[in-house]
């Protein structure tokens, strides 16, 4: 999924995971499997190619044994029942967690980033910074990059449309 200069994208996956993309972003869903209750464990592999994004995990990130990650140019983010932001900010790649906890890692090291904290990664050959609380201004700047005009209303509209479509499919059977 790619966005243009003055655009945003809101993606609602079937498990209620939400991905919001900022302007000039490119985000790829590489693998997406939901636990079938028998043999298939939940797994999600995503790649943030460029631009800012916010990821809110749905059922896939909360299932026992779930394996969910988001790759980005300098490493990867291990996800489990979280809400977090990622993108270029202040001349580096930042990851800010607003719910839960993520593990940011690359070949040089890893950082466990708890709720309310962020880390910065300055390149693939540099380890992630020690997580810390970002300034209010920096958090505001990050949020502005992915801000939607009316996100709650949009999420409700998308869910209602998905429920309508499912109802139509059931009636056709």
């Amino acid at each position: 999924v790619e966005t243009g200069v003055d655009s945003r994208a809101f993606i609602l996956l079937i498990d209620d995971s939400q991905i919001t993309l900022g302007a000039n972003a490119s985000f790829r869903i590489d693998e997406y499997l939901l636990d079938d209750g028998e043999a298939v464990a939940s797994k999600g592999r995503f790649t943030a190619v460029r631009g800012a994004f916010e990821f809110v995990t749905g059922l896939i990130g909360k299932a026992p044994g779930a394996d969910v990650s988001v790759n980005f140019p300098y490493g990867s983010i291990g996800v489990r029942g979280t809400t977090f932001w990622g993108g270029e900010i202040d001349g580096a790649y930042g990851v800010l967690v607003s719910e839960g906890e993520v593990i940011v890692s690359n070949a040089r090291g890893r950082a466990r980033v708890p709720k309310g904290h962020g880390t910065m990664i300055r390149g693939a050959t540099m380890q992630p910074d020690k997580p810390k609380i970002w300034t209010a201004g920096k958090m505001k700047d990050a949020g502005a990059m992915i801000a939607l005009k009316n996100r709650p209303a949009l999420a409700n509209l998308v869910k209602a449309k998905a429920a309508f479509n499912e109802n139509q499919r059931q009636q056709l059977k």
Side-chain angles (χ1 to χ4, degrees):
V1 178
E2 294 187 350
T3 58
V5 176
D6 289 322
S7 63
R8 305 285 193 270
F10 177 79
I11 304 160
L12 178 65
L13 300 177
I14 197 164
D15 73 317
D16 284 333
S17 289
Q18 300 174 22
I19 304 162
T20 306
L21 303 179
N24 293 317
S26 178
F27 195 91
R28 191 171 64 230
I29 301 170
D30 300 309
E31 185 174 19
Y32 180 72
L33 301 168
L34 292 176
D35 184 346
D36 68 358
E38 295 177 20
V40 175
S42 293
K43 183 184 246 185
R45 295 279 182 266
F46 306 89
T47 300
V49 179
R50 72 172 183 277
F53 71 95
E54 182 182 58
F55 193 101
V56 179
T57 58
L59 296 175
I60 195 168
K62 298 172 183 150
D67 182 11
V68 182
S69 65
V70 177
N71 293 314
F72 63 97
Y74 301 152
S76 69
I77 304 164
V79 179
R80 187 149 180 93
T82 57
T83 299
F84 66 97
W85 176 94
E88 294 281 339
I89 190 166
D90 293 345
Y93 198 91
V95 176
L96 176 66
V97 178
S98 53
E99 288 296 327
E101 178 180 89
V102 300
I103 303 293
V104 177
S105 60
N106 64 14
R108 299 292 295 181
R110 62 185 261 159
R112 182 179 297 270
V113 186
K115 177 181 178 175
H117 289 70
T119 187
M120 300 295 286
I121 306 94
R122 299 181 199 307
T125 60
M126 311 230 4
Q127 68 182 16
D129 290 350
K130 181 179 177 182
K132 64 181 182 178
I133 296 173
W134 286 6
T135 66
K138 188 171 184 173
M139 288 191 292
K140 183 179 178 182
D141 290 347
M145 289 182 203
I146 51 96
L148 297 171
K149 289 185 179 178
N150 194 344
R151 183 180 177 153
L154 179 60
N156 288 336
L157 178 64
V158 171
K159 287 178 183 181
K161 180 65 174 164
F164 175 80
N165 289 345
E166 179 59 26
N167 186 26
Q168 295 290 33
R169 278 194 290 275
Q170 293 300 322
Q171 289 181 11
L172 293 174
K173 287 184 177 182

